[in-house]
Amino acid sequence: MRRRYTAADLGVFTREEASRFVPRGDGDPQNDVVLAWELLYRLEPELYDRLASVERLHPGVIGWLPRDVDRIAEVGAGTGRLTMELAERGRHVVAVEPARPLRRILRRKLTAAGHGDRVRVIRGFFDQLPLRDDAAGLVVACSAFTPSAGHGGEAGLAEMERVCRPGGCVAIIWPNHLDWLAARGYRHVSFPGPMSVEFGSHEEAVELAEIFYPKAAGEIRRRGWRKVPFEALGINPPRDLAFKVLAG
Ligand SMILES: C[S@@+](CC[C@H](N)C(=O)[O-])C[C@H]1O[C@@H](n2cnc3c(N)ncnc32)[C@H](O)[C@@H]1O
């Protein structure tokens, strides 16, 4: 990923995106992997979708989410790893996603699954959600929120809580800074058990690992793996969430 894009690719960002992802106007995706991921979403969204489709959430995470929620808001919905699940349980779901190419894929998937009418896909950012106060009973982000200002931060968390109704739940799935969230009143839940990424074929496992998990690619090739344990990829499995129930 670090070698995939160059500073010349930064022109793909809209002004709003650049103000968050390259606030000083310069940036080098070869030295900033977070920036490289933002370029991936815009330049090769189908490649990103192939990865997200095989990195499945722990079923316990899906099962934990409240079922009887009328309105759900998801932020940083991407190509719908979680949205497709939420579509099954909320009567009204709004999926906020800044990257236009990801929104396009998400809409395509929702339509194909017959959820096109119930799930609204809109542009927006954590720190400026285009939603009214108390808009949803569940406000959730999956593998998207971080404490950094460009990807949520204090302003982003405050926005998620603003759009969550009293007594509702804000949930951060697959969080990367549990201590930061705990300091802001978020409780942690983790679901145990072995977890793997199940690629479509061994060839796909090697191809995607060379791009996204280069340190693991050799072992995957040697062992002929199609199903790769998260530990071998060197990343935390998507088994955790942090949540806060707002005062009613
Ligand atoms: C790793 S992807 C996860 C996507 C999806 N939630 C999933 O689990 O597959 C991170 C997502 O966060 C979105 N994102 C990045 N910065 C954001 C921001 N400031 N506000 C809202 N979403 C953001 C990206 O566009 C991308 O869709």
Side-chain angles (χ1 to χ4, degrees), residues 1-247:
M1 275 295 282
R2 279 185 189 273
R3 262 172 282 149
R4 207 161 178 86
Y5 310 112
T6 70
D9 293 313
L10 298 177
V12 74
F13 289 137
T14 64
R15 216 158 31 154
E16 279 183 303
E17 290 167 352
S19 72
R20 286 159 176 96
F21 305 138
V22 278
R24 284 189 303 275
D26 59 345
D28 179 4
Q30 308 217 329
N31 281 311
D32 180 348
V33 77
V34 176
L35 193 53
W37 279 85
E38 291 301 334
L39 291 171
L40 170 73
Y41 305 145
R42 289 157 182 88
L43 295 171
E44 300 182 279
E46 302 284 351
L47 176 62
Y48 168 70
D49 184 48
R50 285 175 65 200
L51 178 72
S53 302
V54 291
E55 282 180 352
R56 296 221 179 84
L57 301 173
H58 192 297
V61 170
I62 311 291
W64 181 92
L65 291 169
R67 286 213 149 264
D68 49 351
V69 185
D70 187 37
R71 294 180 184 276
I72 301 177
E74 184 189 1
V75 189
T79 58
R81 174 174 16 211
L82 179 67
T83 325
M84 302 305 287
E85 307 284 347
L86 298 176
E88 305 279 347
R89 61 182 63 203
R91 268 206 284 146
H92 304 278
V93 179
V94 58
V96 180
E97 168 52 48
R100 189 167 180 221
L102 301 188
R103 290 199 302 274
R104 198 175 300 140
I105 295 176
L106 177 53
R107 284 198 188 102
R108 186 181 75 206
K109 286 183 171 179
L110 287 165
T111 302
H115 296 311
D117 292 344
R118 263 180 325 109
V119 184
R120 208 156 52 92
V121 180
I122 60 174
R123 182 174 60 92
F125 296 86
F126 279 111
D127 59 341
Q128 214 173 358
L129 292 175
L131 298 170
R132 62 172 169 78
D133 293 0
D134 307 344
L138 173 65
V139 182
V140 62
C142 174
S143 181
F145 182 91
T146 81
S148 81
H151 294 88
E154 299 286 2
L157 201 63
E159 274 291 86
M160 290 183 79
E161 295 185 10
R162 176 185 66 76
V163 304
C164 186
R165 67 163 169 72
C169 177
V170 178
I172 307 291
I173 293 174
W174 210 358
N176 72 345
H177 287 81
L178 282 166
D179 292 349
W180 190 92
L181 288 166
R184 285 151 186 84
Y186 281 71
R187 290 164 59 192
H188 174 210
V189 186
S190 186
F191 297 91
M195 288 188 72
S196 299
V197 178
E198 203 164 333
F199 294 92
S201 63
H202 169 63
E203 291 68 31
E204 182 179 55
V206 172
E207 179 200 345
L208 293 184
E210 276 172 351
I211 299 169
F212 296 106
Y213 315 108
K215 287 189 185 140
E219 186 178 12
I220 293 171
R221 197 180 289 104
R222 233 178 8 260
R223 293 186 183 238
W225 273 336
R226 178 177 82 82
K227 200 171 155 184
V228 185
F230 270 93
E231 297 72 54
L233 298 173
I235 58 170
N236 284 335
R239 62 164 88 253
D240 296 289
L241 63 87
F243 75 99
K244 185 196 254 185
V245 175
L246 301 193

